Amino acid sequence: MSFDADDEILQDFLVEAGEILELLSEQLVELEGSPDDMNLLNAIFRGFHTVKGGAGFLQLNELVDCCHIAENVFDILRKGERRVTADLMDVVLEALDSVNAMFQEVRAGQALTPATDELLSNLARLAQPETADDAEPAAEEAAQAAQSLGDQADAEFEQLLGAIPESEPASVSSGDSDIITDDEFEALLDQLHGPVGGAEPAAATPTAAGSASGSDEITDDEFEALLDQLHGEGQFKAEAVTPVAASSNEAETNNASNANSTDSAAASSENISDDEFEALLDQLHGKGKFQVTPKPTADHSASAKAPAEAVVATVKPSAAETKKPAAASRPARPTGAPAVEIETTVRVDTARLDDIMNMVGELVLVRNRLVRLGLDSGDETMSKVVGHLDVVTGDLQAAVMKTRMQPIRKVFGRFPRLIRDMARNLKKQIRLELVGEDTDLDKNLVEALADPLVHLVRNSVDHGIEMPADREAAGKEREGCVTLAASQEGDHIQLTITDDGKGMDANVLRDKAVEKGMLEREAADRLTDAECYNLIFAAGFSTKTEVSDVSGRGVGMDVVKTKIAQLNGTVYVHSTPGKGSQVVIKVPLTLAIMPTLMVRLGTQDFAFPLVNVNEIFHLDLSRTNIVDGQEVVIVRDKALPLFYLKQWLLPNEVHAEQVEGHVVILTVGNQRIGCVVDQLIGQEEVVIKPLGKMLHGTPGMSGATITGDGRIALILDIPGLLKNYGQGY
């Protein structure tokens, strides 16, 4: 390989190829569900071709070799010389993994590790037209499907043959002994299904000449009625398949005043012969057990050949045209002036965006200071100016935040492949549904949420979705469903991972917690179902009896809770036994600026993340109760544990017994607690500053900020506070 090329060209290749490879992963999984989608096949072909071209320009020969053979595979698929199968997709996805690995090595400036010889040989085999041996398994599957679909039609044909009376052929002329007339065909239908009201086959021959030439033919209306009786209405439309016949009908209507010979010719042009009728049945159901083989005559074969070719010619283009509706509906480009595409995007280094965001954060702090000064000054002019500055700063902050926003599709895009691979490994049938892929959130959050979501989806697939046989026995569809949804709620993003599996049994979770020594039996029995569901987030907790490469170690969900807490988010679980489970995650839109509730303990300011604040009220502290040694307060008939933050955060000060105080109700997961504070300052947007080396890792502290009056306030980490100070919570 060579990195001697211009660094700018290399960076352009990394950006473009990275986007293509992300898209290819989604497209390949989609192709397995839509193997006949030519637009998708062409898009995947172009993707490998583009990556190959860029790699060839940079002399990345190992990457070129793998992409070139993969490109050949999709060229064969485009030509229809091979079918898309699960085994083929396994090899192609393995090739994509190898390409991604080499791409990461290019990004890191390392020597490329070429694809294995086994992978390249498998790709080369798939890049050849399908042989008889390769096609045999697929042909057997297709034959079984065709046999099951055609059983009904074959049975009706057998019944039709069995219903033919022995005396009927005697009335047929010796020259047409193997052809049945309209009357005979109608009589057979009457024997099978009963007489049709109002049907008079004899009236179908208006003139002697017409009946003589068309006695062995049926009209479009009769053919349509026959199909409606056999299979129900709407399965086949004659005018959609044979537009030639439709145009003949219009011509016959317009020329109704012509001579009888003209009428006879028009009638014969709208009729189909036995050969055409049999060909249409073959197209509908495959080769049947009943075939009419009329003796070829000069006139008959000549007259039947052209219409038969016309029917086939009109059927095939219509099928091909339906695969490309977008091309047909694309508006024509104006011929006056050629459209000029103007580039409207600019690539900006993320470090530069981070610098801008930091400067906006400093501006927000100055804005807060000026707002406080404006309120204290009493100067009306200054208040107006500060108010205007407040609005402009808010707009600037929102605009800069939008530049850092990315759609969560970048995270969701990896899950179709993950679900597909896990379903094949676990022998399960699983469908993935994605909702709200265009929801935007901060770039740093997009990257930080990737690992927690992977753990949650793997958990749903392994623990939630049952085996197909078990689902069928429980009255469910064999195919399970996992749904990933994202939506914006105010200044937060809500993510839900839902499955329709077996759900969780709270009693099983209680027993497992007691078995692992996490809880005493009495404490476990007092847990509500919602609290039992949260046990799955405990370190080392797992309901699996065997450890596999997917689950069983009790690590994944603990990682999820820890990571979400670091993002100042919350996670909780809902579950219904037998119906499925849902995990709900709430995280802020951005990590740079946080809305908080500012409080004061003694002379020190602290900030509660507003996402944790549930409600605030003033309380007479003499009206509390003691339950199991823990002081509690009754809020709407529910006892909530009450904690005095002064005793935790200012342990060296002398604490006089408080008679009354402000209680802030905080939500942590599914739990609610009350915290007593001395003074409420108000809501304020703050910029999170990391703690210094000496204070880094202090329990219960997530950072610091500068308040509007220039003071330093510590931002509290509520889960960390409870873990270190609130014993048992």
Side-chain angles (χ1 to χ4, degrees):
M1 77 177 182
S2 173
F3 290 111
D4 296 336
D6 190 351
D7 185 64
E8 184 177 354
I9 298 176
L10 176 61
Q11 293 303 318
D12 288 342
F13 168 75
L14 292 176
V15 172
E16 183 181 11
E19 294 173 353
I20 292 174
L21 292 176
E22 286 182 6
L23 190 59
L24 278 176
S25 181
E26 301 176 34
Q27 290 174 333
L28 287 173
V29 177
E30 184 181 352
L31 178 66
E32 196 167 14
S34 305
D36 297 326
D37 191 336
M38 291 302 298
N39 291 330
L40 198 55
L41 284 171
N42 288 329
I44 297 172
F45 174 84
R46 288 193 299 269
F48 278 112
H49 181 76
T50 303
V51 175
K52 182 191 77 171
F57 186 80
L58 295 172
Q59 299 180 21
L60 306 172
N61 298 326
E62 296 86 349
L63 192 56
V64 171
D65 293 341
C66 191
C67 288
H68 178 66
I69 305 179
E71 176 189 2
N72 291 342
V73 172
F74 283 93
D75 190 33
I76 290 293
L77 293 175
R78 290 194 310 168
K79 296 176 181 177
E81 297 177 358
R82 183 177 284 275
R83 297 175 63 252
V84 176
T85 62
D87 293 335
L88 180 144
M89 294 305 302
D90 286 339
V91 176
V92 173
L93 288 171
E94 185 183 352
L96 180 63
D97 290 340
S98 179
V99 170
N100 277 316
M102 287 187 276
F103 177 75
Q104 294 302 327
E105 291 171 345
V106 173
R107 176 171 285 171
Q110 302 172 355
L112 298 190
T113 303
T116 62
D117 294 338
E118 181 183 1
L119 173 60
L120 294 178
S121 62
N122 288 336
L123 282 174
R125 175 177 56 82
L126 295 174
Q128 301 298 324
E130 195 168 23
T131 62
D133 293 338
D134 295 335
E136 185 175 352
E140 289 179 0
E141 294 177 5
Q144 291 175 0
Q147 181 177 358
S148 61
L149 291 174
D151 282 344
Q152 181 181 0
D154 290 342
E156 291 179 350
F157 275 122
E158 290 291 346
Q159 191 177 1
L160 180 66
L161 284 175
I164 298 178
E166 294 296 335
S167 59
E168 285 291 313
S171 62
V172 184
S173 62
S174 59
D176 296 328
S177 60
D178 53 355
I179 301 177
I180 60 174
T181 64
D182 291 340
D183 295 337
E184 294 166 355
F185 191 67
E186 285 293 326
L188 290 176
L189 289 178
D190 290 343
Q191 293 181 33
L192 286 174
H193 304 288
V196 181
E200 297 183 2
T205 55
T207 62
S211 68
S213 61
S215 62
D216 61 340
E217 299 171 351
I218 61 174
T219 65
D220 289 339
D221 294 336
E222 295 169 20
F223 181 59
E224 188 68 18
L226 168 63
L227 290 179
D228 289 343
Q229 292 180 30
L230 287 176
H231 302 288
E233 297 185 5
Q235 299 296 324
F236 177 74
K237 296 295 183 183
E239 58 267 34
V241 178
T242 57
V244 176
S247 61
S248 301
N249 291 340
E250 294 179 2
E252 181 187 2
T253 304
N254 295 333
N255 300 324
S257 60
N258 290 346
N260 289 339
S261 59
T262 307
D263 291 340
S264 176
S268 63
S269 65
E270 70 173 357
N271 295 335
I272 62 174
S273 66
D274 291 333
D275 292 338
E276 298 163 23
F277 177 75
E278 191 64 22
L280 288 174
L281 287 180
D282 288 343
Q283 292 179 28
L284 289 173
H285 303 290
K287 295 291 184 180
K289 298 179 181 179
F290 176 67
Q291 293 187 358
V292 179
T293 55
K295 296 179 180 179
T297 60
D299 295 338
H300 185 72
S301 60
S303 62
K305 184 176 181 181
E309 292 176 353
V311 171
V312 176
T314 55
V315 170
K316 290 183 178 178
S318 63
E321 288 169 3
T322 57
K323 295 182 180 179
K324 298 187 287 185
S329 60
R330 186 180 296 130
R333 178 177 293 183
T335 57
V340 179
E341 294 184 1
I342 301 176
E343 186 175 0
T344 58
T345 59
V346 177
R347 291 188 181 128
V348 179
D349 189 358
T350 54
R352 185 172 300 177
L353 290 178
D354 292 338
D355 291 341
I356 296 175
M357 194 67 197
N358 290 335
M359 288 187 285
V360 169
E362 296 296 333
L363 183 61
V364 168
L365 295 178
V366 175
R367 185 269 313 267
N368 294 341
R369 188 86 183 269
L370 287 175
V371 169
R372 184 73 61 87
L373 293 175
L375 292 176
D376 296 339
S377 67
D379 188 339
E380 183 178 355
T381 303
M382 183 177 180
S383 296
K384 289 182 179 180
V385 173
V386 171
H388 183 62
L389 175 64
D390 186 14
V391 173
V392 173
T393 305
D395 292 342
L396 177 61
Q397 174 187 337
V400 173
M401 285 177 59
K402 285 182 179 179
T403 63
R404 293 168 51 91
M405 294 293 184
Q406 287 185 337
I408 202 168
R409 182 189 298 109
K410 294 183 73 65
V411 178
F412 282 6
R414 70 178 62 187
F415 292 110
R417 169 73 184 281
L418 176 67
I419 293 285
R420 185 257 183 199
D421 291 345
M422 289 190 65
R424 283 181 63 82
N425 291 336
L426 299 174
K427 304 297 188 294
K428 295 182 179 181
Q429 298 178 13
I430 304 175
R431 180 181 72 258
L432 175 65
E433 294 183 358
L434 302 177
V435 180
E437 297 175 85
D438 295 329
T439 303
D440 291 331
L441 69 164
D442 191 275
K443 171 184 174 295
N444 294 335
L445 274 174
V446 170
E447 298 169 353
L449 284 172
D451 286 341
L453 288 178
V454 167
H455 285 295
L456 291 173
V457 170
R458 289 166 65 93
N459 192 70
S460 294
V461 171
D462 189 33
H463 292 270
I465 303 298
E466 313 96 324
M467 297 298 290
D470 297 336
R471 291 180 61 85
E472 198 168 25
K476 299 181 180 180
E477 296 181 359
R478 291 178 61 86
E479 184 181 54
C481 179
V482 176
T483 303
L484 266 71
S487 60
Q488 181 174 343
E489 296 187 355
D491 57 353
H492 286 79
I493 294 292
Q494 176 169 303
L495 304 171
T496 59
I497 300 92
T498 310
D499 66 74
D500 63 349
K502 59 186 177 184
M504 290 186 287
D505 188 339
N507 292 325
V508 172
L509 296 175
R510 289 188 183 95
D511 295 340
K512 185 63 68 171
V514 173
E515 176 187 332
K516 289 183 174 291
M518 299 172 58
L519 293 173
E520 297 293 335
R521 170 54 64 181
E522 294 77 9
D525 291 339
R526 287 198 301 267
L527 293 178
T528 64
D529 287 352
E531 291 170 341
C532 287
Y533 298 148
N534 278 314
L535 289 174
I536 65 175
F537 295 112
F541 187 89
S542 177
T543 57
K544 282 282 187 178
T545 56
E546 296 180 358
V547 176
S548 67
D549 59 346
V550 177
S551 63
R553 297 179 177 85
V555 176
M557 301 303 283
D558 178 39
V559 171
V560 170
K561 185 174 182 180
T562 303
K563 193 67 176 179
I564 298 301
Q566 292 174 355
L567 300 176
N568 298 314
T570 59
V571 55
Y572 51 92
V573 183
H574 303 290
S575 185
T576 303
K579 293 186 178 180
S581 304
Q582 182 183 65
V583 180
V584 180
I585 298 174
K586 282 189 176 182
V587 292
L589 276 174
T590 179
L591 298 178
I593 298 177
M594 176 191 298
T596 62
L597 174 67
M598 303 296 296
V599 300
R600 184 165 294 165
L601 300 175
T603 58
Q604 177 65 46
D605 291 348
F606 294 91
F608 287 119
L610 204 59
V611 65
N612 296 117
V613 178
N614 188 268
E615 60 179 307
I616 306 169
F617 58 86
H618 190 76
L619 178 68
D620 182 357
L621 298 178
S622 63
R623 299 175 57 186
T624 60
N625 301 287
I626 305 295
V627 177
D628 290 340
Q630 171 64 50
E631 189 170 0
V632 299
V633 59
I634 307 299
V635 179
R636 284 184 286 278
D637 299 329
K638 186 172 178 62
L640 303 181
L642 191 66
F643 301 103
Y644 294 84
L645 290 185
K646 246 186 185 181
Q647 299 176 5
W648 290 355
L649 303 177
L650 304 174
N652 297 327
E653 293 189 6
V654 178
H655 302 295
E657 184 176 354
Q658 289 183 261
V659 179
E660 58 181 10
H662 301 283
V663 178
V664 181
I665 304 298
L666 303 173
T667 301
V668 183
N670 285 335
Q671 297 177 333
R672 290 199 304 161
I673 63 171
C675 294
V676 180
V677 299
D678 294 342
Q679 184 179 348
L680 297 172
I681 299 176
Q683 181 178 341
E684 189 171 318
E685 285 188 339
V686 300
V687 178
I688 304 175
K689 299 292 184 181
L691 296 173
K693 291 182 180 180
M694 295 183 63
L695 297 177
H696 184 70
T698 304
M701 304 295 168
S702 61
T705 188
I706 300 175
T707 63
D709 56 0
R711 298 162 58 93
I712 295 178
L714 294 174
I715 302 172
L716 300 179
D717 172 23
I718 307 303
L721 278 177
L722 290 179
K723 183 177 180 180
N724 288 277
Y725 299 108
Q727 300 298 325
Y729 292 91

